Amino acid sequence: MSRSFVRNSKFRHVFGQAAKADQCYDDIRISQMTWDSNFCSVNPKFVAMIVDASGGGAFMVLPLTKTGRIDMSYPTVCGHTGPVLDIEFCPHNDNIIASSSEDCSVMIWEIPDGGLTLPLTDPVVKLEGHSKRVGLLNWHPTAHNVLMSLLLRATAASATLRRARRGWGTCPRGAWRSTSVRSPGSTNYMSGNVSPSS
């Protein structure tokens, strides 16, 4: 005779409580793009989400205090000519956010303290020179103004092959240039995406 039993757990009868409607973000058209990124980024001041946009890519940056129903005409950050694939706030400056896109570019934006009142179309810096769409972004957690962007190769043999690009520079403004270096004995490129010109 077999006896079925339930393993004891201190979390068995713990249930979450849904947030109230006035504490949520409502009526936001999140992008339908299928890609390997989070489609959002949060810091102590803002929350940013990639949204559907016609004629290019866009993302929305909202102050954390602006909850509830978001108007369809709320201003967006819309400078890319292709769909935005990833966004990432700078860990050292809450007003700086980087975005990458299918248009083979990375853009760095400065968000005003109170949030956007008009659509933002001019980036602080536009990083060009990528040969393929830029899929993922990541700021260095401890070094100031170091940004890494990844190009994912779409090959059947290995979807995890990546070309890494690392950037150094000053946010928000500075003299920028691109460099590329081949690793010794390797066919892959490790590219310095931006660096302050000397």
Side-chain angles (χ1 to χ4, degrees), residues 1-188:
M1 182 168 123
S2 66
R3 294 177 71 180
S4 62
F5 64 92
V6 177
R7 186 175 58 166
N8 286 337
S9 170
K10 53 185 168 183
F11 303 108
R12 185 173 169 199
H13 300 290
V14 174
F15 300 99
Q17 184 175 5
K20 297 180 180 176
D22 62 341
Q23 297 173 342
C24 298
Y25 299 98
D26 200 11
D27 285 347
I28 297 175
R29 305 174 316 272
I30 301 295
S31 175
Q32 300 299 313
M33 184 72 140
T34 55
W35 190 253
D36 231 3
S37 67
N38 296 324
F39 290 97
C40 70
S41 185
V42 182
N43 70 12
K45 281 187 182 179
F46 302 106
V47 58
M49 294 153 282
I50 301 174
V51 295
D52 270 338
S54 59
F59 61 95
M60 185 177 285
V61 179
L62 299 169
L64 290 179
T65 56
K66 184 171 180 55
T67 55
R69 188 171 185 273
I70 306 300
D71 190 13
M72 299 275 281
S73 62
Y74 191 84
T76 58
V77 180
C78 48
H80 288 284
T81 57
V84 175
L85 300 177
D86 197 15
I87 51 178
E88 188 75 25
F89 277 108
C90 179
H92 308 291
N93 186 341
D94 290 338
N95 294 58
I96 299 294
I97 186 169
S99 62
S100 65
S101 170
E102 274 194 359
D103 63 7
C104 304
S105 70
V106 174
M107 295 186 184
I108 299 175
W109 309 87
E110 187 173 13
I111 308 299
D113 276 329
L116 297 176
T117 55
L118 296 170
L120 189 58
T121 56
D122 295 324
V124 173
V125 176
K126 183 174 183 179
L127 309 176
E128 296 176 314
H130 295 85
S131 58
K132 296 180 182 172
R133 60 186 177 178
V134 186
L136 297 170
L137 293 173
N138 200 7
W139 292 93
H140 195 284
T142 56
H144 285 268
N145 306 320
V146 178
L147 175 66
M148 181 176 67
S149 59
L150 299 174
L151 309 178
L152 299 183
R153 295 182 184 173
T155 59
S158 173
T160 58
L161 289 176
R162 297 176 179 174
R163 286 179 60 191
R165 296 184 175 255
R166 183 168 290 193
W168 292 268
T170 54
C171 286
R173 299 210 182 269
W176 301 78
R177 64 181 167 83
S178 286
T179 58
S180 283
V181 224
R182 184 176 291 226
S183 305
S186 170
T187 58
N188 293 334

